[in-house]
Amino acid sequence: MLAQSLLAEFEDQVPVTRRFLERLPDNKLTWKPHSRSLTAGQLAYHLAFVPGGVVRGAQKDQIPPPEFQFPQPASVQEVLDTFDQSVATVREVLPGFDDAAMNATWRIVAGDQEIAAMPRVVFLRNIMLNHWYQHRGQFCVYLRLLDVPVPSSWGPSADERSALQQEPQPA
């Protein structure tokens, strides 16, 4: 039941995240807002990769500390293909976790040292979803700075109505 709940939320957010990724212009993949920032392409790729990468890590009871890599994609299509693979991985793997597995302790371990320990459901909630949302918000700022219309997500953006908003009625 826990996995199905996370999957339902994930499914609601897949088309929203895809709309954000689709808006990145191919000619802005290497743009970055600051010298210490990721490029727009690196951030988009990370946003595309996160859910599938996280759920794969959750398949094990423990993993070593992750090596964060931020590849520079050659095209927006590469980002979208990565996103499609990531979504497919979540859809395949997440339903396989029963509630006992979701409540079992999941760990990050470096040699003999435990770096983190938490129920698998907490790891998936915090990293697969909350971390994903945080990066989508960050990507929203990139789009705004690039003067690309920002899609609505939970509510309206300055450029787009939310699905929850009705069209204005003529007077």
Side-chain angles (χ1 to χ4, degrees):
M1 191 70 184
L2 292 170
Q4 289 303 320
S5 176
L6 288 181
L7 184 60
E9 180 177 338
F10 173 76
E11 291 291 357
D12 285 345
Q13 296 303 313
V14 165
V16 175
T17 302
R18 184 175 193 79
R19 282 195 306 271
F20 276 77
L21 295 173
E22 289 171 340
R23 300 251 172 126
L24 179 62
D26 264 316
N27 67 345
K28 298 297 183 183
L29 289 168
T30 59
W31 178 87
K32 56 172 139 178
H34 189 276
S35 61
R36 291 191 307 256
S37 298
L38 296 177
T39 69
Q42 288 172 313
L43 181 56
Y45 188 91
H46 186 64
L47 188 55
F49 179 81
V50 160
V54 170
V55 81
R56 278 193 297 275
Q59 286 182 288
K60 301 173 183 163
D61 290 332
Q62 71 180 41
I63 64 167
E67 294 179 24
F68 296 105
Q69 297 178 2
F70 301 97
Q72 179 61 53
S75 68
V76 172
Q77 190 57 56
E78 181 182 344
V79 171
L80 294 174
D81 291 346
T82 299
F83 183 68
D84 291 342
Q85 292 168 1
S86 184
V87 168
T89 298
V90 172
R91 288 174 176 162
E92 176 188 331
V93 173
L94 190 56
F97 293 122
D98 61 19
D99 281 358
M102 291 295 277
N103 285 310
T105 302
W106 179 90
R107 294 176 166 81
I108 298 175
V109 178
D112 298 352
Q113 185 179 6
E114 184 175 87
I115 308 295
M118 65 199 78
R120 184 175 278 107
V121 67
V122 171
F123 170 66
L124 288 167
R125 155 62 54 208
N126 286 341
I127 306 303
M128 187 183 80
L129 295 177
N130 294 348
H131 169 241
W132 195 39
Y133 302 150
Q134 181 263 332
H135 282 303
R136 191 171 72 197
Q138 182 183 13
F139 191 69
C140 170
V141 173
Y142 278 49
L143 293 177
R144 175 63 68 224
L145 291 172
L146 288 168
D147 203 25
V148 172
V150 174
S152 65
S153 53
W154 281 287
S157 74
D159 304 308
E160 200 174 276
R161 290 184 173 282
S162 160
L164 301 174
Q165 288 180 298
Q166 295 180 347
E167 290 294 322
Q169 300 300 315

